[in-house]
Amino acid sequence: MAEEGHSIDGLVQGYPKKDGTFEYGTAGFRKDAEVMDFIVMRMGLLAALRSKVCGGEVVGLVITASHNPVKDNGVKLVDPDGGMMAEAWEEIATHLVNVNDGDVAGAVGDIAKRFNVDDAATGCVYIGRDTRPSSDRLLQAAMQGVSGIPNVSSQDFGVVSTPHLHFLVRAHNLKQSSDYWNVIGENYQLVAKSLPISDGSAYTGDVLVDGANGVGAGCAVQLNKACGDYLNLSVINDGTTGVLNLDCGADYVKSNQREPPNHEFLPNQRCCSFDGDADRIVYFSKDGDNVFHLLDGDKIAVLIAEFIMELLEAASLHLNVGVVQTAYANGAATNVLEERKIPIACTSTGVKHLHHKAKDFEIGVYFEANGHGTVLYSDKATKMITDAKAAESETDSLGPAGQLYHYMQISNQAVGDSCADLCMVELALRKKQWSVQDWDGQCKFLPNRMLKVKVADRRVIKTTNAERQVTEPSDLQPAIDSLVAEYEQGRSFVRPSGTEDVVRVYAEANTQVTADHLAARVACAVFDNAGGSGQRPQEPSPLGAKRVKH
Ligand code: G16
């Protein structure tokens, strides 16, 4: 690899390493944008190598920090199947980013040798980016990185949502249509046409979309066009004035359990929020008493799983449908799925884990509570649904197998996708002719609270059992257990974030007051037992009579 070594050394000079240790986390590398240039350049090198190792198939590189503040940026790689980069390569990525400048060429040579990469082998990297001001600059770094590996080209797709880029990679390698909007829109219209709305129906196609002041706002406009008269999306937080993810977007709405403050919402209006790179969606509404209602990934998963199961039954198709959740899933959502005899699996946070697990089912519906998810159809399910559709008699309106077939085409089977997920939710509501209140009323969730705690080094926290228990520091889990025991229907867990420099705390209990109380006390326990830094979270005053003693 002597020849590339020269050019790599030149590239490294242009992108010198910044101080610090960097880790390929839940969704790639994420940091303040000012430190990202050398990381993105090195990820360009790695993406190019990965493409060669995968026999020249296209791989993807996305420049985004998704829900993080606008000052941050990030990079993650997409494998040829459109999913997240294989986990085994995360360590390789972490190593390549952390070696000193003088050792980058050697590290690249080592990877090439380890995977028998031939100089003559070809490859291609698709690159997409979000709307952050730093993303343009980082695009140059990515393209430069790719150019450091001979015979690999890069193709810039401009500002696109993360799931759109994943879709393009998958579609290219599978030789399927890469017309993203047409695939979603055409299939949406076909299913919607077969689900007519009766007079007096509680369902209408009107939805207000919070675009998080990011790429999702433009996506919602495109989606509205693609779905014709069957959907009527209006967009707020479209980026023309507001700041990306600031007081808006799916992460804000889910974490704060409130609507974006800059807009007056009509009573009972059906609204949804995308996140900064449009791979998550949560729904919400304010009722006539101005009370906020959140319909998050848990509720979306139940709705979609039941819709699919009803169509399977109507089409006399026997396929197992399962739902994959994480520890963040509301206890009540898990109970509902159990009551309805829908198999459940639980994994660690990160769509890569859920995606992998969902493949254990013939149809796997996976959603994180934060709204990140999709539906995967196994080869067996795809074939059975396709055959059943072909056997249905041709009429103007699709039968259940036909509806399911076109519903399946909408799902982004590479990764969570705000636009595809919106369509899947809307079709399920349309079939039921439900308003957002009807949907919300199906299941009452346990009140919950999420908090963030700053510690000196979040990596001191180690977890097990799909992140539901802490193993290190050893005093922390006993402290959490004894707090949880004081609350009716109490549950709490903590884990280091893979995208922000914080420890996340989740708590649920029978009332909002007790859930907040438990979360605040667990946050203090984290601070005390895991090397808290800065201001200690405020210890809440005792709840007195409301506290349930065991
Ligand atoms: C990413 C991951 C999600 C994860 C989220 C938060 O989402 O893709 O699977 O739930 O980060 O992760 P953590 O709690 O580890 O910070 P996004 O939408 O920010 O790319």
Side-chain angles (χ1 to χ4, degrees), residues 468-471 473-482 492-493:
R468 288 172 287 201
Q469 279 170 311
V470 174
T471 51
S474 59
D475 288 342
L476 185 51
Q477 189 60 45
I480 296 171
D481 289 342
S482 80
S492 180
F493 67 91

Side-chain angles (χ1 to χ4, degrees), residues 99-131:
V99 295
N100 291 327
D101 288 345
D103 298 326
V104 174
V108 166
D110 289 344
I111 299 168
K113 208 162 154 195
R114 177 171 162 191
F115 293 97
N116 296 319
V117 172
D118 183 343
D119 264 8
T122 57
C124 178
V125 180
Y126 281 6
I127 304 177
R129 63 188 189 278
D130 70 13
T131 56

Side-chain angles (χ1 to χ4, degrees), residues 25-27 30 64-68 76 84 162 251 275-280 326 328 348-354 368-370 372 415 458 467 495-500 502 504:
T26 314
R30 277 191 203 172
T64 180
S66 183
H67 72 275
N68 290 45
K76 61 180 167 186
M84 303 291 187
T162 295
D251 200 62
D275 71 337
D277 63 342
D279 59 7
R280 297 192 210 172
T326 68
Y328 289 106
S348 297
T349 300
V351 280
K352 59 191 174 199
H353 302 301
L354 289 98
E368 295 185 293
N370 64 21
H372 206 151
V415 78
R458 68 192 198 276
E467 300 179 321
R495 52 174 286 277
S497 163
T499 60
E500 293 175 63
V502 295
R504 296 199 195 279

Side-chain angles (χ1 to χ4, degrees), residues 34-55:
E34 292 311 308
V35 303
M36 283 303 302
D37 298 66
F38 83 96
I39 297 177
V40 174
M41 189 283 284
R42 292 182 188 196
M43 283 303 93
L45 291 168
L46 191 72
L49 286 168
R50 179 88 183 126
S51 177
K52 284 193 174 210
V53 169
C54 295

Side-chain angles (χ1 to χ4, degrees), residues 146-211:
V146 174
S147 75
I149 305 296
N151 296 317
V152 181
S153 60
S154 59
Q155 198 170 335
D156 169 24
F157 285 86
V159 173
V160 286
S161 73
T162 295
H164 193 155
L165 202 275
H166 282 255
F167 172 96
L168 291 169
V169 169
R170 182 171 192 269
H172 176 89
N173 291 324
L174 288 177
K175 300 185 175 48
Q176 293 177 346
S177 167
S178 59
D179 191 342
Y180 177 78
W181 296 112
N182 194 44
V183 169
I184 297 186
E186 207 173 280
N187 288 291
Y188 185 85
Q189 294 202 41
L190 281 166
V191 183
K193 191 176 161 206
S194 305
L195 300 170
I197 303 175
S198 55
D199 284 348
S201 164
Y203 178 83
T204 73
D206 300 335
V207 189
L208 185 74
V209 181
D210 157 21

